[in-house]
Amino acid sequence: MKKGIHPESYRPVAFKDMSNDVTFISRSTVATKETIEIDGETYPLVKLEITSASHPFYTGKSKLVDTAGRVDKFLSRYGNRKK
């Protein structure tokens, strides 16, 4: 690896999956404004919509994740075409 091109400010950061409330801690340099307290420690918080804890490929479950109402918008626009 080249010297001096990697950040030095790695620190523990909490990543929270908003679809199922799973939280895990990893080292990162990401800048955040929110914090969370886990086991008496305060960590910077990064909110994620999908992680390996909720992704169908890793869980083996088919789950429709619709955070912006796109499915409802599609159904209201096109509805049931078989009529």
Side-chain angles (χ1 to χ4, degrees):
M1 275 197 264
K2 290 184 178 180
K3 301 279 186 202
I5 63 170
H6 298 285
E8 299 291 331
S9 60
Y10 284 99
R11 67 196 189 290
V13 176
F15 293 90
K16 184 173 184 179
D17 187 337
M18 300 308 290
S19 64
N20 61 3
D21 291 331
V22 171
T23 304
F24 60 93
I25 299 171
S26 182
R27 290 174 23 113
S28 179
T29 61
V30 66
T32 65
K33 293 181 181 179
E34 297 182 59
T35 60
I36 189 171
E37 187 170 326
I38 300 173
D39 297 330
E41 294 273 336
T42 302
Y43 297 101
L45 175 65
V46 177
K47 294 180 179 178
L48 304 171
E49 289 192 28
I50 194 161
T51 64
S52 61
S54 62
H55 194 281
F57 179 80
Y58 297 106
T59 61
K61 299 177 184 174
S62 274
K63 179 181 174 187
L64 181 63
V65 178
D66 183 26
T67 58
R70 286 173 269 194
V71 172
D72 292 333
K73 186 176 179 181
F74 176 84
L75 290 176
S76 68
R77 183 178 291 169
Y78 299 105
N80 189 358
R81 293 288 191 171
K82 293 183 180 183
K83 288 183 180 179

